Each structure stands twice: as C-alpha cells, then as structure tokens.
C-alpha cells in the first residue's frame, strides 16, 4: 500500500502491514493480529475493504481524525 490507491493488502509486503496498522488506535495489536492471521492463511491477498471489515468485526477501531 505504498500507493494510496492500492486496492489490495498483501501479507508478504511489510510496508503494507505498517500502512494498515498505522490507521488503528492500537497499532501493535493490529499488527500482531494481522501477522497471526496471515501466518495461518486466514488473510492472504484481500481487498482493503474486506480487511477493514474483518478488523472491525474483531473489535479494532480506527484512529480518530
């Protein structure tokens, strides 16, 4: 997600993990959650929209703007 217009999240890209987790209140918990879900293949190459919905379902909140 180096490009703001990227539509997909790829677990193998560290900069994408940094970009996504940085949008949430508890960056480190989000980072660890995503890494665990990538490792067990729950998340692999999802749309940003699907990943955001999944994080919301699991109680993660975006930072206030």
């Amino acid at each position: 997600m180096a490009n703001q217009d990227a539509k997909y999240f790829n677990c193998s890209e560290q900069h994408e993990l940094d970009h996504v987790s940085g949008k949430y209140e508890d960056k480190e918990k989000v980072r660890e959650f995503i890494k665990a879900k990538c490792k067990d293949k729950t998340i692999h190459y999802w749309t940003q929209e699907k990943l955001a919905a999944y994080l919301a379902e699991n109680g993660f909140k975006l930072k206030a703007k």
Side-chain angles (χ1 to χ4, degrees), residues 23-60:
K23 294 180 180 182
Y24 289 84
E25 289 178 353
D26 193 335
K27 180 179 180 174
E28 290 307 313
K29 283 187 181 179
V30 171
R31 174 189 298 280
E32 292 307 313
F33 180 80
I34 291 173
K35 285 170 69 174
K37 294 301 178 181
C38 286
K39 188 175 184 177
D40 74 9
K41 304 286 188 207
T42 300
I43 298 170
H44 180 62
Y45 193 68
W46 283 10
T47 64
Q48 290 181 30
E49 187 175 280
K50 183 175 179 179
L51 180 59
Y54 185 69
L55 290 170
E57 288 171 9
N58 284 280
F60 294 103

Side-chain angles (χ1 to χ4, degrees), residues 12-28:
S12 65
E13 297 293 333
Q14 183 65 40
H15 66 277
E16 292 189 22
L17 178 60
D18 293 340
H19 180 75
V20 169
S21 62
K23 294 180 180 182
Y24 289 84
E25 289 178 353
D26 193 335
K27 180 179 180 174
E28 290 307 313

